[in-house]
């Protein structure tokens, strides 16, 4: 008998033991047995009524540890024979261990550990050797003298004496699942190997739902490498793990999955011949400047694509089942692009929350019909509605919110509805400014101004509302803030006549070229106002007050002033149609880097320009709104804004007790039909 001292700091040995991970220790010992050409491995877990897990015994029928190699095996960290060869000695199977550290994992299973091993020496004799150690002296291993034996070759590892509740984790279903997910590809490849855990054989094939392999390539240092990702979907619940494997599928390490695939229980195995050469660098798996980082990044892209395809497959299967059960809320094929997008969005959302949908057909039919209405009209709020209905779990809420925030289908449905809303708005605006009865009643400040304040897209998609109905001082102060400079002094900005200017709307965009800013100031005139010299002088005075302000003489900025009207007198029309200038431009003034333009635009020009932008969508979404639909949109987006006098000028509407109603209201109490109609309490008429 002799004592072998491990030449390493004891705290280093303790770290390598990973004592908080008993399941990891069991997996490591199984791999050691397989590397030693074992075909049968058994893990026995002995229980005690008082202490729970009492003793762990891991035995195999491998080649064992020869007496002459015992000392070198236990007296140093590293020095394993495995890096010198890629295959096991007898069975020529790919090797797992490389670092010569696995034996230290025994301290995670017990404070007392012992190996009893039988191996054949150089003369062909079988010799038994016992190696024991204690956590009281982690670095010391007691090696017995070898004894002749007729026992078959193999190794029995025993651990006991550890009073730690963490050992009870070995008795959980999760422990078995972790062993299956790590050893699964290896055991499938070598079916004659038997691993029995706590009395039950580990059989990964019976737990597999789907097994997919995808080849991919990645580039590092301008060299393209080939790799493979194997995705095993399980019938059981597993922890998400991404295994880094050699080209044979032997797991070398486990890292975070780094992707989301809700509803799937799976493990991913990345196979690359270069993985064994980078052991010790797996901590850099998220650094794309390293080989392993580039490999993992490319593998995650492949995994995302795989699960996008799998989600589509599952969704199609589920929809076909709903159709067969006659609970699917769509009875006919989509008639246009908008309906097709809505249908695909519904299918995506419904499939995502399918496990929360009631099981009876009647409840399914009602639930899916309600979901259809939510997706159709307000897709961005679907997750809130579903949370109220189903009380979704935290993970489901996050995933559904992510889906509705990021899926292009939901975005396009929302965009389609947005286009329809804009067409409705243009129809309403056209009626307000051109219909003789409506235009004579609409007020500039309290109605027209407030309506456009919420619909600034008509002036251009690139503008965002900055201020509304502020003095010209506020306009200039806001401009200074955009430049990151101090706001103006309290003294007001005056026009040429000394008065303080008031602007209706100020919109702004920051151009990318040369850091130039562009501001738009809009002056609105009610439809009944005929613009003449007075109004034209007013807008020009605003412009000159800006251009001549000393604080802006060194600023690179474009100022544009729009005067919008329905009518103008002959002199203003002549000035707006001068040769050598764009139509509508009545002033083009430059002072150093500052440039100021003043335009007179008609409501008809503005509306037609917006219609041109929406022309493509109008044709493809088949939406040509009526006056009633247009009014419904405005009343929905700006409730209570229009006066009763203006509302009386809307065809198809009547005033009842101060409220607007349809002349032909509809009320159908049948729930199956009502789901296909607009909610009688909703003042907005919605497409479809």
């Amino acid at each position: 008998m002799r004592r072998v001292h491990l030449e390493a700091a004891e705290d280093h040995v303790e770290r390598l033991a990973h004592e908080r991970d008993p399941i990891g220790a069991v997996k490591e010992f199984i791999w050691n047995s397989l590397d030693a050409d074992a075909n049968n491995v058994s893990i026995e877990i002995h229980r005690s009524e008082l202490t729970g897990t009492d003793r762990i015994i891991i035995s195999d029928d491998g080649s064992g540890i020869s007496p002459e190699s015992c000392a070198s095996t236990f007296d140093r960290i590293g020095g394993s024979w495995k890096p010198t060869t890629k295959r096991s000695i007898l069975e020529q199977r790919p090797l797992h261990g490389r670092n010569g550290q696995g034996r230290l994992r025994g301290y995670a299973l017990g404070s007392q550990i012992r190996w009893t091993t039988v191996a054949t020496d150089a003369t062909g004799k079988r010799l038994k050797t016992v190696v024991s150690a204690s956590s009281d002296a982690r670095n010391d291993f007691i090696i017995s003298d070898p004894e002749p034996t007729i026992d078959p070759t193999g190794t029995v590892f025993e651990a006991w004496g550890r009073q730690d509740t963490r050992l009870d984790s070995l008795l959980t279903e999760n422990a078995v699942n972790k062993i299956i997910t790590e050893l699964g590809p290896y055991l499938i490849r070598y079916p004659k190997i038997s691993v029995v855990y706590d009395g039950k054989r580990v059989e990964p094939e019976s737990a597999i739902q789907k097994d997919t392999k995808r080849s991919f390539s990645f580039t590092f240092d301008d060299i393209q490498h080939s790799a493979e990702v194997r995705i095993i979907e399980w019938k059981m619940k597993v922890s998400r793990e991404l295994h880094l494997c050699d080209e044979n599928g032997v797991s070398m390490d486990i890292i975070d999955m780094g992707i989301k695939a809700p509803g799937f229980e799976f493990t991913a195995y990345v196979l690359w011949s270069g993985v064994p050469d980078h052991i010790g660098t797996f901590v850099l798996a998220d650094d794309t400047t390293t080989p392993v980082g580039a490999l993992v990044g490319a593998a995650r892209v492949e995994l995302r694509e795989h699960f996008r395809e799998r989600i589509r497959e599952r969704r199609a299967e589920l929809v076909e089942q709903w159709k067969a059960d006659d609970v699917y809320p769509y009875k006919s094929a989509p008639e246009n692009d908008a309906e097709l997008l809505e249908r695909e969005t519904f299918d995506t959302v419904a499939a995502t929350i399918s496990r929360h949908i009631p099981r009876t057909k009647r409840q399914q039919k009602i639930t899916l019909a309600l979901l259809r209405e939510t997706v159709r009209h307000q897709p961005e709020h679907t997750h809130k509605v579903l949370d109220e209905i189903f009380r979704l779990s935290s993970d489901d809420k996050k995933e559904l919110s992510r889906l509705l925030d990021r899926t292009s289908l939901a975005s396009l449905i929302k965009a389609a509805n947005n286009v329809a809303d804009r067409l409705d708005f243009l129809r309403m605006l056209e009626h307000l400014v051109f219909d003789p009865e409506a235009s004579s009643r609409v007020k500039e400040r309290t109605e027209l101004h407030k309506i456009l304040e919420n619909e600034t897209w008509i002036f251009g998609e690139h503008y965002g509302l900055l201020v509304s109905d502020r003095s010209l001082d506020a306009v200039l102060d806001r401009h200074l803030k955009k430049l990151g400079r101090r706001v103006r002094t309290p003294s007001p900005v005056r026009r040429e006549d000394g008065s303080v200017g008031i602007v209706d709307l100020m919109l702004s965009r920051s151009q990318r070229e040369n850091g130039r800013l562009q501001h738009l100031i809009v002056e609105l005139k009610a439809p009944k106002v005929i613009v003449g010299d007075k109004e034209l002088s007013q807008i020009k005075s605003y412009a000159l007050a800006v251009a001549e302000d000393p604080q802006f003489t060194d600023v690179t900025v474009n100022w544009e002033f729009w005067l919008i009207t329905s009518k103008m007198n002959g002199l203003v029309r002549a000035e707006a149609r001068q040769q050598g200038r764009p139509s509508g431009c009545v002033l083009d003034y430059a002072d150093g880097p500052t440039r100021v333009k003043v335009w007179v635009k008609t409501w008809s020009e503005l509306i037609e320009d917006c219609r041109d932008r929406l022309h493509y969508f109008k044709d493809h979404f088949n939406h040509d709104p009526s006056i009633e639909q247009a009014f419904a949109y405005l009343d929905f987006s700006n409730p209570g804004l229009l006066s009763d006098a203006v509302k009386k000028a809307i065809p198809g509407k009547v005033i009842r007790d101060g409220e607007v109603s349809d002349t032909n209201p509809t009320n159908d109490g049948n729930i199956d039909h009502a789901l296909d109609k607009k909610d009688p309490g909703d003042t907005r008429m919605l497409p479809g």
Side-chain angles (χ1 to χ4, degrees), residues 27 46 127 168 185 240 395 433 615:
K27 291 191 297 183
H46 294 257
L127 298 173
D168 293 336
R240 294 282 177 81
D395 288 343
V433 298
H615 178 74

Side-chain angles (χ1 to χ4, degrees), residues 489-547:
T489 57
S491 58
V493 174
R494 305 290 178 178
R495 299 198 295 259
E496 291 180 348
D497 61 0
S499 61
V500 176
I502 301 293
V503 298
D504 279 342
L505 298 172
M506 178 182 175
L507 302 103
S508 173
R509 73 171 176 181
S510 179
Q511 292 184 336
R512 297 179 181 176
E513 296 84 3
N514 303 318
R516 175 178 289 274
L517 293 177
Q518 180 164 319
H519 290 322
L520 170 65
I521 294 176
V522 179
E523 179 74 13
L524 303 174
K525 293 301 176 187
K528 59 188 176 184
V529 175
I530 300 175
V531 168
D533 291 344
K534 176 183 176 183
E535 290 78 18
L536 190 59
S537 297
Q538 184 184 55
I539 193 74
K540 286 182 177 180
S541 68
Y542 286 168
L544 292 176
V546 171

Side-chain angles (χ1 to χ4, degrees), residues 390-408:
F390 298 114
R391 297 298 177 187
L392 302 180
S393 68
S394 177
D395 288 343
D396 286 335
K397 287 183 201 174
K398 290 178 182 177
E399 176 54 27
L400 194 56
S401 179
R402 184 199 67 80
L403 172 69
L404 294 174
D405 286 342
R406 295 175 62 183
T407 178
S408 59

Side-chain angles (χ1 to χ4, degrees), residues 637-651:
S637 59
N638 294 275
L641 181 60
L642 293 182
S643 66
D644 288 347
V646 176
K647 291 178 182 179
K648 288 178 180 178
I650 307 299

Side-chain angles (χ1 to χ4, degrees), residues 26-27 65 67 138 150 246 259 263 304 321 426 430 440 448 479 481 521 546 555 665:
V26 170
K27 291 191 297 183
I65 308 172
R138 298 173 184 275
I150 59 172
D246 65 10
I259 69 163
R304 292 186 183 99
Q321 184 61 52
L426 289 178
E430 186 178 43
S440 64
L448 189 59
H479 180 64
K481 289 181 180 179
I521 294 176
V546 171
V555 175

Side-chain angles (χ1 to χ4, degrees), residues 49 71 149-150 193 208 215 217 230 284 305 641 655 665 685:
E49 293 183 1
T149 182
I150 59 172
I193 294 175
I208 292 176
S215 298
S217 60
R230 183 176 186 177
L284 304 175
E305 179 57 31
L641 181 60
I655 304 294
M685 296 185 68

